[in-house]
């Protein structure tokens, strides 16, 4: 959460940083700001509001300078106000800092610094960094020496950039447990939480490892270890696909990414079959297998659990990543921990993986973004290959995660190739679902936009799809929704169903059909408006979202598609921006 960007080079820096902030907005969009070092002055402009609003209100584009830092915020410490927006500076306004992460001992440091006469202007944890640097940076010490000397005093996780009028011409960055990546196009250098921010200019990147300090100046770059010794770090080429982040002709990234659900399977299945066999064997041999993830990724894991059990006859458990630590006592070297994370940097997941590694467990991560923190912590990494997902709600990455679990489970029975072919055949079916249900879903969204509660029910492998449909609806339309196993409805939640309450029923025409339908009838008898997502029509449905007949184990991948689209259209009908839901951010790098 929070996106940071720095630019040092030969071009005017502000337009580059503004463009980068727009790319980074998925990481937080409460406030934004820019600091520029120019002609012996430190210019800072910042405010609460979305990046576009702050740019316009403060005419950011008119700022001069070729050494520029920017920040887009997701508030943790301190309200969403102009004073709490980044960049933050020291007492003399000579040092500027942008930060992503949480300084856990900031209260104690703030007390010490205030006691020594420092004057704080914000409520943020970040501001302590600027004041600590102020104390260290004087007396002829370079900015990088100051950064090196304060880093050990900071507890928690961070990636921050600093620039100073007392050591001008450079940006210094460092990180611990938060992402930071350098873009190289000498004499121009970029540094950001995400390579997407500068991918328009360069695909050549250098990764920072934890505690590395990097010094960027126009035409020069230097990496230092935590003792200040020079390090050599390799330049790598990023995959081109990570440059594609435009909305094209779509009104929103969410809609574009839902439409891309019709193409994800070929990319997801473009994998090394031998690696899948190796991982499948690890899973089969393990004493216990725990899958850990958050939010939508956890729902993919729940489908994965059914697949492992049905196909590989391997039982495993799914533990919410924020709860994983509380089970760590039973994790050992005979445990395989599978993590699922689109971003590869969700703090709860990273924490769980660290606990698993400490217990000698084997860690396999299923992630989308390359160069992620989780990738570095895992024994094996499986890439989703679905390209950048820019909208905050996860959509196409969920389909890719389902595909990976499908491939893994069939690798357990030596049928990776068969699974690949079956997945590939789904692309056309999904394109058909998107096309044929669009107008019905738009009509439904207008009809139901003022309802207060939705319930989603399903059985077996589709139960997690009900939960995913409900999560997506809450996230983008702000309507309360719950997903649950269909048989569970009558154990309490049915009390909430009244005249007109929408109940979405995922009802495959298989051995679960009759029982699921009878749960729908129970709701309908209490006045529910039944939306059937099914390959078989029924007069129980008040609205039928027709999907093609597919094998039981592929049904979740088809059934979820109209649910994503329904959530999207409901957000639009209610006048909300589904790409940037309130209070949320795409990468959740705080616990
Ligand atoms: C929902 C959503 C979130 C994420 C969750 C985990 O649409 O996007 O629930 O799924 O924050 O994120 P990753 O997969 O990046 O670990």
């Amino acid at each position: 959460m929070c996106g940071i960007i720095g630019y040092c080079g030969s071009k005017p820096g502000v337009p580059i940083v503004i463009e980068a902030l727009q790319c980074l907005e998925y990481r937080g969009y409460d406030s934004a700001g820019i600091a520029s070092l120019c002609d012996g002055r430190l210019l800072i402009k910042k405010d609460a509001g979305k990046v576009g609003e702050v740019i316009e209100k403060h005419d950011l584009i008119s700022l001069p300078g070729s050494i520029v830092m920017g920040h887009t915020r997701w508030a943790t410490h301190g309200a969403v106000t102009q004073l709490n927006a980044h960049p933050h500076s020291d007492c003399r306004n000579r040092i500027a800092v942008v930060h992503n992460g949480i300084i856990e001992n900031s209260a104690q440091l703030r007390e010490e610094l205030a006691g020594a006469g420092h004057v704080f202007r914000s409520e943020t944890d970040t501001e302590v960094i600027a004041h600590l640097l102020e104390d260290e940076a004087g007396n002829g010490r370079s900015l990088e020496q100051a950064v090196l000397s304060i880093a050990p005093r900071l507890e928690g996780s961070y990636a921050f950039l600093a620039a100073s009028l007392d050591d001008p011409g450079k940006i210094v960055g460092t990180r611990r447990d938060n992402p930071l990546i350098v873009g190289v196009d000498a004499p121009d250098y970029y540094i950001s939480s995400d390579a997407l921010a500068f991918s328009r200019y360069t695909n050549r990147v250098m990764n920072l490892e934890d505690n590395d300090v990097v010094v960027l100046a126009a035409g020069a770059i230097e990496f230092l270890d935590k003792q200040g010794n020079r390090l050599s770090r390799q330049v790598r080429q990023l995959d081109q696909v990570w440059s594609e982040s435009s909305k094209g002709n779509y009104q929103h990234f969410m809609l574009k990414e839902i439409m891309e659900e019709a193409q994800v399977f070929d990319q997801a299945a473009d994998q090394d079959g031998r690696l899948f066999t190796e991982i499948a064997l690890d899973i089969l041999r393990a004493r216990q297998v725990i899958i850990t993830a958050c939010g939508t990724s956890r729902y993919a894991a729940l489908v994965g659990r059914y697949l492992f059990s049905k196909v590989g006859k391997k039982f495993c458990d799914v533990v919410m990543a924020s709860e994983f630590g509380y089970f760590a006592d039973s994790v050992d070297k005979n445990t395989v921990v599978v993590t699922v994370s689109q971003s590869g940097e969700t703090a709860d997941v990273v924490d769980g993986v660290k606990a698993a590694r400490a217990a000698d467990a084997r860690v396999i991560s299923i992630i989308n973004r390359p160069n992620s923190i989780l990738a570095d912590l895992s024994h094996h990494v499986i890439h989703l290959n679905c390209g950048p997902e820019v909208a905050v709600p996860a959509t196409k990455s969920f389909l890719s995660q389902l595909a990976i679990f499908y491939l893994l489970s069939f690798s357990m029975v030596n049928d990776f190739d068969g699974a690949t072919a079956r997945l590939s055949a789904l692309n056309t079916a999904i394109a058909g679902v998107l096309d044929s249900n669009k107008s019905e879903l738009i009509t439904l969204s207008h009809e139901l936009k003022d309802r207060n509660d939705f319930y989603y029910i399903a059985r077996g492998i589709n139960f997690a799809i009900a939960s995913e449909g409900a999560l997506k609806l809450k996230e983008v339309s702000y309507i309360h929704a719950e997903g649950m196993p269909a048989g569970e409805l009558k154990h309490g939640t049915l009390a909430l169903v009244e005249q007109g309450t929408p109940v979405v029923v995922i009802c495959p025409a298989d051995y679960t059909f009759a029982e699921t339908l009878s749960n729908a009838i129970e709701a309908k008898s209490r006045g529910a408006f039944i939306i059937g997502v099914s390959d078989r029509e029924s007069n129980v449905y008040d609205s039928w979202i027709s999907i093609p007949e597919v094998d039981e184990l592929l049904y979740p991948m088809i059934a979820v598609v109209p649910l994503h689209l329904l959530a999207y259209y409901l957000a639009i009908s209610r006048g909300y921006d589904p790409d940037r839901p309130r209070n949320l951010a795409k990468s959740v790098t705080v616990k």
Side-chain angles (χ1 to χ4, degrees):
M1 334 206 61
C2 296
I4 61 179
I5 170 76
Y7 169 78
C8 241
S10 56
K11 307 186 186 112
V14 170
I16 294 170
V17 164
I18 285 179
E19 204 177 289
L21 288 179
Q22 279 158 336
C23 273
L24 292 171
E25 209 177 5
Y26 74 86
R27 301 181 71 85
Y29 31 87
D30 294 338
S31 335
I34 283 187
S36 173
L37 286 188
C38 182
D39 299 332
R41 289 179 306 153
L42 173 59
L43 308 168
I44 296 184
K45 293 220 173 170
K46 59 182 189 175
D47 212 335
K50 291 188 176 170
V51 171
E53 292 161 4
V54 179
I55 294 172
E56 208 171 302
K57 184 169 170 195
H58 292 277
D59 190 22
L60 293 187
I61 197 76
S62 66
L63 282 175
S66 301
I67 297 178
V68 185
M69 304 188 304
H71 188 271
T72 177
R73 178 171 190 240
W74 187 85
T76 55
H77 288 57
V80 180
T81 61
Q82 183 175 31
L83 281 178
N84 288 334
H86 297 219
H88 290 284
S89 53
D90 65 318
C91 298
R92 300 165 307 145
N93 285 324
R94 296 189 66 79
I95 297 171
V97 174
V98 289
H99 164 228
N100 171 34
I102 290 191
I103 307 300
E104 284 166 6
N105 58 339
S106 64
Q108 182 201 327
L109 291 170
R110 177 185 276 256
E111 207 177 299
E112 277 173 35
L113 288 158
H118 287 269
V119 178
F120 281 81
R121 300 183 196 95
S122 77
E123 305 154 314
T124 65
D125 53 337
T126 305
E127 196 181 337
V128 299
I129 302 177
H131 293 284
L132 286 171
L133 288 175
E134 179 181 3
D135 278 353
E136 294 295 330
N139 310 321
R141 297 182 90 186
S142 66
L143 183 59
E144 57 272 28
Q145 282 168 329
V147 167
L148 283 163
S149 66
I150 70 153
R153 299 190 61 192
L154 304 175
E155 287 168 20
S157 68
Y158 55 76
F160 72 82
L161 307 179
S164 166
L165 284 178
D166 295 321
D167 190 5
K170 61 171 77 154
I171 290 175
V172 178
T174 187
R175 61 157 276 212
R176 188 195 298 155
D177 288 342
N178 264 293
L180 200 55
I181 186 162
V182 172
V184 180
D185 186 22
D188 298 333
Y189 293 98
Y190 307 79
I191 182 162
S192 180
S193 318
D194 185 344
L196 258 188
F198 52 73
S199 64
R200 206 184 131 189
Y201 299 97
T202 182
N203 269 319
R204 300 177 68 237
V205 297
M206 296 172 90
N207 277 353
L208 267 84
E209 293 183 7
D210 267 1
N211 303 314
D212 281 4
V213 170
V214 64
V215 186
L216 308 182
I221 183 165
E222 189 174 51
F223 279 78
L224 305 171
D225 70 10
K226 60 181 172 190
Q227 277 83 35
N229 303 312
R230 287 183 86 157
L231 285 170
S232 104
R233 292 272 177 252
Q234 299 301 313
V235 177
R236 290 182 314 102
Q237 192 83 22
L238 266 193
D239 194 331
Q240 277 298 334
V241 78
W242 288 92
S243 316
E244 294 163 13
S245 63
S246 102
K247 266 192 278 201
N249 292 327
Y250 291 98
Q251 201 190 342
H252 294 101
F253 278 107
M254 183 177 179
L255 183 58
K256 176 180 179 243
E257 287 158 6
I258 293 173
M259 291 303 160
E260 286 170 3
E261 289 179 348
Q263 292 135 37
V264 296
F265 293 119
D266 286 340
Q267 292 151 264
D270 184 13
Q271 304 283 351
D272 175 357
R274 281 164 310 176
L275 174 68
F276 270 62
T277 308
E278 197 183 316
I279 294 174
L281 287 176
D282 275 353
I283 290 172
L284 286 171
R285 283 193 209 112
R287 179 181 67 82
Q288 63 171 349
V289 178
I290 305 173
I291 317 180
T292 187
C294 305
T296 287
S297 296
R298 188 174 71 89
Y299 295 136
L302 287 170
V303 174
R305 181 171 69 153
Y306 278 89
L307 288 165
F308 284 7
S309 165
K310 284 244 173 212
V311 182
K313 313 285 179 263
K314 181 76 185 180
F315 178 77
C316 67
D317 213 342
V318 175
V319 178
M320 249 175 227
S322 53
E323 294 290 306
F324 182 89
Y326 310 119
F327 289 96
D329 295 332
S330 67
V331 175
D332 61 15
K333 67 176 173 31
N334 297 316
T335 305
V336 166
V337 173
V338 180
T339 77
V340 194
S341 174
Q342 186 284 133
S343 62
E345 61 173 328
T346 301
D348 290 323
V349 184
V350 169
D351 238 42
V353 167
K354 285 186 173 166
R357 290 295 306 244
D360 266 349
R362 199 148 184 80
V363 176
I364 295 151
S365 290
I366 302 171
I367 52 189
N368 192 35
R369 302 197 74 88
N371 311 301
S372 69
I373 291 173
L374 269 181
D376 292 346
L377 290 171
S378 308
H379 294 99
H380 285 302
V381 177
I382 298 174
H383 293 283
L384 299 179
N385 297 333
C386 68
E389 190 177 63
V390 178
V392 167
T395 53
K396 64 176 179 173
S397 64
F398 180 69
L399 275 276
S400 309
Q401 291 166 345
L402 297 182
I404 297 297
F405 277 113
Y406 188 82
L407 290 169
L408 269 179
S409 60
F410 280 95
S411 301
M412 292 178 190
V413 292
N414 217 1
D415 187 24
F416 174 86
D417 291 340
T420 304
R422 289 189 292 280
L423 282 175
S424 187
L426 278 190
N427 286 334
T428 325
I430 289 185
V433 169
L434 284 167
D435 194 44
S436 61
N437 289 298
K438 189 176 160 194
S439 58
E440 175 69 13
L441 290 166
I442 293 176
T443 309
L444 265 183
S445 73
H446 290 304
E447 241 172 81
L448 303 178
K449 73 179 170 45
D450 295 320
R451 302 297 156 91
N452 294 323
D453 310 280
F454 273 60
Y455 297 95
Y456 289 69
I457 57 172
R459 283 178 177 263
I461 194 166
N462 292 299
F463 139 59
I465 299 304
S467 302
E468 164 61 8
L471 176 65
K472 212 84 327 163
L473 185 72
K474 282 188 275 203
E475 194 179 358
V476 298
S477 74
Y478 316 148
I479 298 174
H480 167 255
E482 275 182 58
M484 70 196 70
E488 199 59 19
L489 188 66
K490 59 187 174 295
H491 293 289
T493 310
L494 193 56
L496 298 172
V497 170
E498 49 190 39
Q499 198 56 42
T501 305
V503 175
V504 179
V505 187
I506 302 166
C507 206
D510 62 14
Y511 59 96
T512 62
F513 184 80
E515 283 182 343
T516 312
L517 200 66
S518 86
N519 298 133
I521 294 168
E522 287 153 16
K524 195 176 170 86
S525 319
R526 273 96 188 160
F529 178 88
I530 304 294
I531 302 160
V533 177
S534 180
D535 48 337
R536 183 183 295 168
E537 197 173 5
S538 160
N539 57 13
V540 175
Y541 311 145
D542 295 294
S543 164
W544 178 34
I545 306 301
S546 164
I547 60 176
E549 188 185 337
V550 290
D551 178 73
E552 175 201 352
L553 303 183
L554 296 169
Y555 205 86
M557 303 177 209
I558 298 277
V560 75
V561 172
L563 302 189
H564 282 167
L565 212 48
L566 177 63
Y568 172 78
Y569 286 126
L570 272 159
I572 300 302
S573 307
R574 287 164 65 86
Y576 299 126
D577 173 2
D579 286 350
R580 302 276 175 269
R582 68 185 178 205
N583 305 338
L584 302 179
K586 191 153 187 75
S587 284
V588 187
T589 57
V590 293
K591 283 190 274 169

